[in-house]
Amino acid sequence: MKYTNLIKNHTATINYANRGMELENDLNLTNTYYLDNDIAVIYKKPTPIKIVRVDFDYKKSATIREAYFKMPSTTDYNGLYKGKYIDFEAKEIKGRKSFPLANINNHQIKHIRNILKHGGIAFIIVKFSLLNKIFLLKGEDLITIIDTSKLKSIPLSTFESKGYLIKEAYMPRLDYIKIIDRIYLGG
Amino acid sequence: MKYTNLIKNHTATINYANRGMELENDLNLTNTYYLDNDIAVIYKKPTPIKIVRVDFDYKKSATIREAYFKMPSTTDYNGLYKGKYIDFEAKEIKGRKSFPLANINNHQIKHIRNILKHGGIAFIIVKFSLLNKIFLLKGEDLITIIDTSKLKSIPLSTFESKGYLIKEAYMPRLDYIKIIDRIYLGG
């Protein structure tokens, strides 16, 4: 889908945005921009679903009639930039003071550890909706916090000191690749 | 899920296997083996679904009541091996003589081109079920065939000359990483 179409869809989904989908929409727009402009190939993975019942109708395609959401075992986004494997999870939260670690499940933490161990680039993107601030925090820093503190949530101040602020713009909407360039690739 | 559990599940899904899921099951087993043994981090992406209606019940989790299968815009599998981005599509076919290119949609071909352009490793794995032969064909070779011939299908002989035979084993079931080592990483 082209960027302009996504912009239209984005406008049509303002109600969704208010229900906590804004970060996801903005990242999808950004990734489409990267793809259209040959900058990076990064996608959101489909939502994992357990399908229980499917109706087949000879007139049209199959209809899923019973299915359930499954807990994701990996992060939501991955892809490729300048030959590097990129992997991240994105979360939007209402709180103003800290990011509760319960937002990222244990499988996802383990996945981030695996990515780092095998030489990939892993990070999280956290949006504090009410403050309208979006941060990128390196996977290495996330894991250090988890392993060395007993924190149940990461204070905003940690994002401000260790993280990287992603500024909102028109296109690309959230240029996180610029930060990847600077902090991982010395660009 | 651990390898032994998957083996049990695999045995329980013999009927599925007969309906063309055998390659997918074997690749999932293989990827779980790679993950459990810290060799590579490669996953099958969830099936893309367009969700139309969800019922919410206060007693249990949300139930999807109407959804449709969407055409995938990328390949099914991706991940990380020795710091390299890995991406592939897997197809199982009944024919004995050739692999119809219609099995891979245009979005997926475009995706493979993108991966190659951005420095990733891309390939396809094709199983000729009735011959019980499984081949890996490099993305570069697939694209060359598409761009330089008017073939609607790739003959078995091309897989035999340009591809790499993946032998079935107990564990890992289909050791395609061994081929990646040899042809991409000089291992």
Side-chain angles (χ1 to χ4, degrees):
Chain A
M1 194 182 286
K2 289 288 152 190
Y3 195 80
T4 45
N5 287 338
L6 273 175
I7 288 271
K8 277 183 224 151
N9 283 355
H10 183 73
T11 312
T13 56
I14 289 293
N15 288 333
Y16 261 103
N18 293 337
R19 283 188 279 156
M21 302 274 291
E22 201 171 46
L23 179 60
E24 183 179 322
N25 284 335
D26 284 347
L27 286 171
N28 289 345
L29 282 168
T30 304
N31 290 337
T32 302
Y33 177 87
Y34 290 153
L35 198 65
D36 288 352
N37 291 277
D38 234 348
I39 293 165
V41 187
I42 297 166
Y43 284 92
K44 181 175 185 297
K45 292 184 193 171
T47 307
I49 302 278
K50 183 184 168 56
I51 297 171
V52 175
R53 192 162 63 83
V54 179
D55 281 358
F56 294 94
D57 183 325
Y58 75 99
K59 278 194 216 155
K60 46 181 195 172
S61 56
T63 306
I64 298 160
R65 287 291 176 201
E66 186 184 352
Y68 300 90
F69 295 99
K70 286 202 296 190
M71 185 179 282
S73 48
T74 68
T75 49
D76 270 0
Y77 299 84
N78 77 355
L80 176 63
Y81 173 61
K82 287 187 181 168
K84 302 287 180 192
Y85 176 90
I86 305 288
D87 197 297
F88 65 99
E89 182 63 23
K91 291 291 177 192
E92 186 160 357
I93 56 159
K94 287 265 160 65
R96 293 159 190 272
K97 290 188 176 161
S98 67
F99 172 70
L101 281 168
N103 279 285
I104 306 179
N105 76 47
N106 287 338
H107 290 290
Q108 291 176 318
I109 303 282
K110 183 139 193 283
H111 178 72
I112 290 172
R113 287 184 199 274
N114 281 336
I115 296 307
L116 296 174
K117 190 158 46 176
H118 288 270
I121 291 174
F123 51 91
I124 59 171
I125 292 179
V126 173
K127 176 167 186 169
F128 290 82
S129 307
L130 299 178
L131 306 174
N132 207 26
K133 280 190 175 174
I134 304 167
F135 295 96
L136 184 153
L137 184 70
K138 289 170 76 167
E140 291 86 344
D141 291 329
L142 173 70
I143 297 299
T144 301
I145 292 166
I146 290 171
D147 289 349
T148 62
S149 79
K150 305 220 157 159
L151 294 177
K152 295 251 182 255
S153 58
I154 305 176
L156 174 64
S157 59
T158 302
F159 285 95
E160 282 169 335
S161 61
K162 290 208 187 306
Y164 301 86
L165 194 67
I166 304 176
K167 282 183 198 130
E168 226 166 310
Y170 178 56
M171 56 198 321
R173 191 78 82 175
L174 301 172
D175 196 4
Y176 64 88
I177 280 289
K178 202 200 279 175
I179 297 170
I180 300 304
D181 255 338
R182 203 171 77 225
I183 65 178
Y184 289 103
L185 309 175
Chain B
M1 194 183 286
K2 289 288 153 192
Y3 195 79
T4 45
N5 288 337
L6 273 175
I7 288 272
K8 277 182 222 151
N9 284 354
H10 183 72
T11 312
T13 56
I14 288 293
N15 288 333
Y16 261 102
N18 293 336
R19 285 188 278 154
M21 301 274 292
E22 202 171 46
L23 179 61
E24 182 179 323
N25 284 336
D26 284 348
L27 286 170
N28 289 345
L29 281 168
T30 304
N31 290 336
T32 302
Y33 177 87
Y34 290 152
L35 197 64
D36 288 353
N37 291 278
D38 235 348
I39 293 165
V41 187
I42 297 166
Y43 284 92
K44 182 175 185 297
K45 293 184 194 171
T47 307
I49 301 277
K50 183 181 167 60
I51 297 171
V52 175
R53 193 162 63 83
V54 179
D55 281 358
F56 295 94
D57 183 324
Y58 73 99
K59 278 193 213 153
K60 47 181 194 171
S61 57
T63 306
I64 298 161
R65 286 292 177 201
E66 185 184 351
Y68 299 90
F69 295 100
K70 285 202 295 192
M71 185 179 283
S73 48
T74 68
T75 49
D76 270 0
Y77 299 84
N78 77 356
L80 176 63
Y81 174 60
K82 287 187 180 167
K84 302 287 180 194
Y85 177 90
I86 305 288
D87 197 297
F88 65 99
E89 181 63 23
K91 291 293 177 192
E92 187 162 355
I93 56 158
K94 288 265 160 62
R96 294 160 189 270
K97 290 189 177 160
S98 68
F99 172 69
L101 281 167
N103 279 285
I104 307 179
N105 75 48
N106 287 338
H107 290 290
Q108 292 176 318
I109 302 283
K110 183 141 194 285
H111 178 70
I112 290 172
R113 286 184 200 273
N114 281 336
I115 296 308
L116 296 174
K117 191 157 48 177
H118 288 270
I121 292 173
F123 51 92
I124 58 171
I125 292 178
V126 172
K127 176 168 186 167
F128 290 81
S129 306
L130 298 178
L131 307 174
N132 207 28
K133 280 191 175 174
I134 303 167
F135 295 96
L136 183 153
L137 185 70
K138 289 170 77 168
E140 291 86 343
D141 291 330
L142 173 70
I143 297 299
T144 302
I145 292 166
I146 290 171
D147 290 348
T148 62
S149 79
K150 305 222 156 154
L151 293 176
K152 295 251 181 254
S153 57
I154 305 175
L156 174 64
S157 59
T158 302
F159 285 95
E160 282 169 334
S161 60
K162 290 209 189 305
Y164 301 86
L165 193 67
I166 305 177
K167 284 185 196 125
E168 226 168 309
Y170 178 55
M171 56 199 320
R173 189 79 80 177
L174 302 173
D175 196 3
Y176 64 88
I177 281 288
K178 201 201 278 175
I179 297 170
I180 300 304
D181 256 337
R182 204 171 79 225
I183 65 179
Y184 289 103
L185 308 174

